[in-house]
Amino acid sequence: MGQRPIYVMAEQDLPGLLIMGIGGTHGVQESLAALLKKHFSVITMKELLENKKEVGKKIQCIFVSEFRPTIDQELLESLPNLKVIGNSGVGVDHLNLKMISNFGVRVTNTPHAVADSTADMGMALMLASARRLVEGSQIAVSPDTNYFAADWLGVEVTRATLGIIGMGRIGYKVAQRARAFEMKILYHNRNRRSQEEEQAVGACYSEMEDLLQQSDFVMLVVNLTPQTEKLIGKKELGLMKPTATLINISRGAVIDQDALVEALQNKTIKAAALDVTYPEPLPRNHPLLKLNNVIITPHIGTATVQATHMMAEEAIANMLSVLNCQPIPSEVFPQ
Amino acid sequence: MEAQELPCVLIDCIGGKHGVYEDHAEFLKERFCLITMKEYLENKNFLGKKIRAIYMWYHKPVINEELLQSLPNLKIVASSGVGIDHLDLSLLSSYGVKVSNTPFIVSTDTADLGMALMLASSRRLVEGHQMAISPDTEYFPADWLGAEVSGATLGIIGMGTIGYKVAERAKAFEMKILYHNRKQRNKEEERAVGATYCKKIDDLLQQADFVMLVVNLTPQTHKLIGKRELQLMKPTAILINISRGLVVDQDALVEALQNKVIKAAALDVTYPEPLPRDHPLLKLKNVIITPHIGSATVKTRHLMKENMTESIQAGLAGLPIPNEVLL
């Protein structure tokens, strides 16, 4: 068997890929840029803007990471050879899928790469909230602390009831983790999972109302779509137990934020832990920032070294499959 | 039953910083004649003879030889929590006084807190929250990252009841689990959680991304983790302590964190508690400290109270004592 010749593609033969930038607070990490450069001729927004006519023609793909670059009509019009937008992350609510489709451009996301780290974040927020970890850490380091009070208590996670709203890939991984804490698991989803899948994690399918009324922890793990916008509003918060905690690892707009503020202030529910808000960051005078029964994290559900690498790799595989006319692992379509 | 027929039990006080909770006191008063330290000291001669048990909550009242000498009818001390490093067991035994603790009831809450600290530290949850609410925050930077818990290697030092429950939880995160213990667990127990025994602590320290301390405090585990052990750990590793502050050489830990010998620490326990307000551990960005809340949940504290009550009642009736601590 003869050895196959190895072709090293010259950089200019590689398909052009547009990214926001490299490094800094808004660009793609250096190590990820290096990964992209193995398969693409990487072009930054700055380079495109300096020479739109010439450079625009070269771009066949866009790598969207942390919602950048923004995809608008003007950008799409300047990229006549654009074939695919590879989004890093699973949520695509920041992309106008219909508009992009009208340009004949495909969109892909990274549902596999995000699952473990986002499920971990959901568990982290549930545990931190239940055990008052942030408050506790503030007491432990406060200059005013001279003793630890005996009657300063949180609530149990083990054997409590967790209601998962949205039992997709991430929701299911949350259930797998919660099961190890002997939690009673209820879930609500567009489609019911199979009996085997339910039994494997000990999850019971519930109607929304039942889930809200019975859960000690309600975790939102849905996509943001027109159907899930403000899924949790005044009515839903009113159905929850006054001892319950709401955890959001989906999108800020899934919750009616004003209704949430009111519910937290009036003790309709006990606490909230939010990795996502609308907008991000919240305005600095927003009431959510001042409530001591709220933990907010800066949308870090996939902010790990490992997850960001896996997302880039998944996006690369998706984009290459489009360019090579192969089956596309994770294409998303307008609703 | 008339109040004077109920057995007399000494407590430190009700309410306040460290006292028995008001609602717990109601429960206890239905079963015991509660005598506070203040009441006892005001009438030592009369009350000393009546006290048959001590209900020790948050390590109080402090038991010394003087107290034991004045309580001739003391049969049992029920201590809250699992740790008994604050008790002089030989002294108590020499007075014929039995001791009980609450080892099992605290185990799930403490394991949960170990997991909470590991996740919070790895994902930089406290820092992240501070950024999310800070008045100076204008945007969330893209280059702000934590490290993954799922699929990482957890080294559990101390695989007793609590350590094993940590392993059960960590398994669901598909973690690789190593453990070090005085005794190796049996094969079924190891297989059930996918844990691998490390006879030498060094092997565990060198491989783990997270090192969690879940031992008792004994003379053997005092300063178990010192400069040598910290240097064996990976520079990307995180140390989590849910056992006792004295298991770690705190000065060595400060140095290791300052010099980036390890990446971070998450401590539910320190020595002392609280730390002095000028202690370097309070200022390090890569440290999360919680105020010894391993078993601090409403439900568990109720169950502790019930367990301790059972132990006292059994001890006074001359029956086998649940959760007896033997020398």
Side-chain angles (χ1 to χ4, degrees):
Chain A
M1 194 159 61
Q3 270 214 319
R4 274 178 297 150
I6 298 164
Y7 293 107
V8 177
M9 284 182 96
E11 212 215 288
Q12 54 266 36
D13 294 338
L14 293 174
L17 172 79
L18 176 67
I19 65 172
M20 186 67 209
I22 299 175
T25 55
H26 291 83
V28 168
Q29 289 170 61
E30 298 271 5
S31 55
L32 299 186
L35 202 60
L36 294 166
K37 283 177 183 175
K38 287 191 185 157
H39 304 276
F40 302 99
S41 166
V42 172
I43 299 162
T44 64
M45 271 303 275
K46 185 165 181 286
E47 289 165 345
L48 171 64
L49 294 172
E50 281 167 358
N51 193 354
K52 260 182 156 174
K53 265 221 166 99
E54 276 304 308
V55 177
K57 282 185 290 210
K58 297 182 181 177
I59 291 168
Q60 297 188 56
C61 315
I62 306 178
F63 178 66
V64 173
S65 174
E66 306 259 347
F67 320 121
R68 299 185 188 99
T70 305
I71 310 294
D72 55 20
Q73 178 122 334
E74 194 191 329
L75 179 66
L76 293 170
E77 279 167 357
S78 58
L79 307 176
N81 295 315
L82 182 65
K83 307 256 175 320
V84 57
I85 294 170
N87 189 62
S88 172
V90 63
V92 289
D93 47 282
H94 56 290
L95 297 171
N96 185 336
L97 297 178
K98 200 141 187 283
M99 175 187 71
I100 296 167
S101 177
N102 289 341
F103 280 85
V105 175
R106 294 183 192 265
V107 177
T108 65
N109 64 352
T110 62
H112 303 278
V114 304
D116 282 342
S117 57
T118 313
D120 285 0
M121 196 67 208
M123 296 299 294
L125 286 171
M126 176 166 67
L127 286 159
S129 184
R131 303 303 292 271
R132 301 170 68 189
L133 195 142
V134 175
E135 266 186 274
S137 73
Q138 286 162 351
I139 289 170
V141 303
S142 161
D144 304 326
T145 293
N146 48 32
Y147 67 89
F148 291 158
D151 58 351
W152 193 95
L153 304 174
V155 296
E156 286 193 336
V157 165
T158 290
R159 286 183 289 267
T161 301
L162 169 63
I164 301 174
I165 299 178
M167 191 81 133
R169 209 172 262 103
I170 301 172
Y172 196 75
K173 281 184 183 272
V174 170
Q176 285 171 326
R177 285 149 178 70
R179 180 165 207 252
F181 291 75
E182 300 174 78
M183 298 190 86
K184 178 175 175 188
I185 302 170
L186 307 173
Y187 79 99
H188 184 75
N189 205 39
R190 277 173 302 190
N191 308 309
R192 196 167 165 166
R193 287 228 172 209
S194 76
Q195 226 185 17
E196 273 125 38
E197 289 172 328
E198 287 182 349
Q199 273 167 12
V201 295
C204 292
Y205 186 77
S206 296
E207 295 305 326
M208 261 295 248
E209 290 208 1
D210 293 330
L211 183 152
L212 293 168
Q213 284 169 325
Q214 295 176 46
S215 298
D216 300 304
F217 300 93
V218 175
M219 198 181 299
L220 304 176
V221 203
V222 290
N223 287 332
L224 176 61
T225 65
Q227 293 74 41
T228 62
E229 188 170 343
K230 292 199 177 164
L231 182 66
I232 303 297
K234 184 165 178 158
K235 169 169 172 255
E236 290 71 26
L237 293 161
L239 285 170
M240 285 171 66
K241 292 179 173 183
T243 51
T245 299
L246 180 66
I247 299 136
N248 193 1
I249 51 168
S250 61
R251 281 291 181 271
V254 170
I255 298 177
D256 175 343
Q257 254 171 208
D258 294 337
L260 178 62
V261 170
E262 203 183 315
L264 288 163
Q265 286 170 338
N266 297 341
K267 304 195 196 301
T268 305
I269 66 170
K270 187 165 85 164
L274 316 168
D275 188 42
V276 288
T277 59
Y278 183 78
E280 288 169 7
L282 286 168
R284 299 294 86 189
N285 59 359
H286 198 282
L288 277 174
L289 304 189
K290 299 177 186 61
L291 293 167
N292 79 346
N293 50 349
V294 178
I295 296 176
I296 305 178
T297 44
H299 200 153
I300 49 174
T302 57
T304 68
V305 174
Q306 295 89 335
T308 50
H309 269 78
M310 280 168 60
M311 289 194 286
E313 282 171 358
E314 196 172 347
I316 290 168
N318 276 318
M319 291 187 288
L320 291 177
S321 73
V322 171
L323 298 184
N324 296 330
C325 301
Q326 287 160 344
I328 306 165
S330 306
E331 185 171 3
V332 283
F333 302 97
Q335 298 240 318
Chain B
M1 229 208 270
E2 306 233 24
Q4 54 263 38
E5 291 182 39
L6 295 176
C8 290
V9 176
L10 179 67
I11 63 171
D12 189 57
C13 61
I14 297 173
K17 294 181 193 180
H18 297 122
V20 172
Y21 308 154
E22 300 270 4
D23 58 331
H24 287 199
E26 292 309 310
F27 172 92
L28 294 168
K29 282 177 184 174
E30 288 168 13
R31 293 152 180 79
F32 305 122
C33 168
L34 290 186
I35 298 171
T36 65
M37 271 304 274
K38 184 165 183 286
E39 288 166 342
Y40 161 71
L41 291 169
E42 282 167 0
N43 198 350
K44 260 178 142 173
N45 284 333
F46 180 65
L47 292 174
K49 287 184 284 229
K50 299 191 100 194
I51 288 167
R52 300 176 64 206
I54 298 179
Y55 183 90
M56 203 173 188
W57 191 253
Y58 266 81
H59 306 181
K60 291 196 170 69
V62 173
I63 298 176
N64 52 27
E65 182 128 43
E66 192 196 329
L67 182 66
L68 291 173
Q69 281 167 349
S70 349
L71 305 178
N73 294 314
L74 180 66
K75 298 266 172 308
I76 178 165
V77 171
S79 178
S80 64
V82 59
I84 36 119
D85 47 279
H86 58 287
L87 291 171
D88 185 339
L89 296 179
S90 323
L91 178 68
L92 286 157
S93 176
S94 72
Y95 278 82
V97 176
K98 295 194 191 269
V99 177
S100 70
N101 62 351
T102 62
F104 302 112
I105 219 69
V106 302
S107 55
T108 57
D109 276 356
T110 314
D112 286 358
L113 189 71
M115 296 299 294
L117 287 171
M118 177 165 66
L119 285 159
S121 184
S122 192
R123 300 301 290 269
R124 300 170 67 189
L125 193 143
V126 176
E127 265 187 274
H129 170 79
Q130 285 163 350
M131 190 201 307
I133 65 168
S134 162
D136 305 325
T137 294
E138 295 171 17
Y139 60 86
F140 293 157
D143 55 352
W144 193 101
L145 301 175
E148 201 122 325
V149 165
S150 277
T153 299
L154 169 63
I156 302 174
I157 298 179
M159 191 78 132
T161 308
I162 301 172
Y164 196 74
K165 288 191 186 278
V166 171
E168 284 173 341
R169 284 147 178 72
K171 177 174 201 258
F173 290 75
E174 295 176 272
M175 298 189 86
K176 178 178 174 189
I177 301 170
L178 307 172
Y179 77 101
H180 176 74
N181 204 39
R182 279 172 301 190
K183 292 179 296 208
Q184 187 169 1
R185 287 224 172 212
N186 68 46
K187 288 254 177 296
E188 273 115 50
E189 289 173 329
E190 287 184 342
R191 209 177 295 129
V193 295
T196 305
Y197 185 60
C198 289
K199 191 157 183 204
K200 288 169 59 189
I201 201 176
D202 296 27
D203 294 332
L204 181 153
L205 294 169
Q206 285 168 325
Q207 296 178 65
D209 298 304
F210 301 93
V211 174
M212 199 182 297
L213 305 176
V214 204
V215 289
N216 288 332
L217 177 60
T218 65
Q220 293 75 39
T221 62
H222 183 259
K223 290 196 179 171
L224 180 66
I225 303 296
K227 183 167 179 160
R228 189 191 84 94
E229 289 72 27
L230 292 162
Q231 290 188 328
L232 284 170
M233 285 171 67
K234 294 179 174 184
T236 51
I238 296 178
L239 179 70
I240 299 136
N241 192 1
I242 52 170
S243 61
R244 282 290 180 272
L246 286 171
V247 172
V248 176
D249 176 346
Q250 253 171 208
D251 295 336
L253 177 62
V254 170
E255 203 183 317
L257 288 163
Q258 285 170 339
N259 297 339
K260 302 195 195 302
V261 169
I262 65 169
K263 185 165 83 172
L267 316 169
D268 187 43
V269 288
T270 59
Y271 185 77
E273 289 167 8
L275 287 167
R277 299 294 87 190
D278 59 354
H279 198 283
L281 277 174
L282 304 188
K283 299 177 187 62
L284 292 168
K285 225 170 53 113
N286 50 350
V287 178
I288 295 176
I289 305 176
T290 45
H292 199 154
I293 50 174
S295 66
T297 66
V298 175
K299 219 185 237 181
T300 291
R301 293 291 160 83
H302 271 297
L303 292 169
M304 262 187 198
K305 165 204 68 183
E306 284 176 9
N307 276 191
M308 290 164 72
T309 300
E310 270 173 40
S311 297
I312 290 175
Q313 289 172 329
L316 296 181
L319 294 168
I321 298 168
N323 301 318
E324 184 174 357
V325 179
L326 301 166
L327 253 185

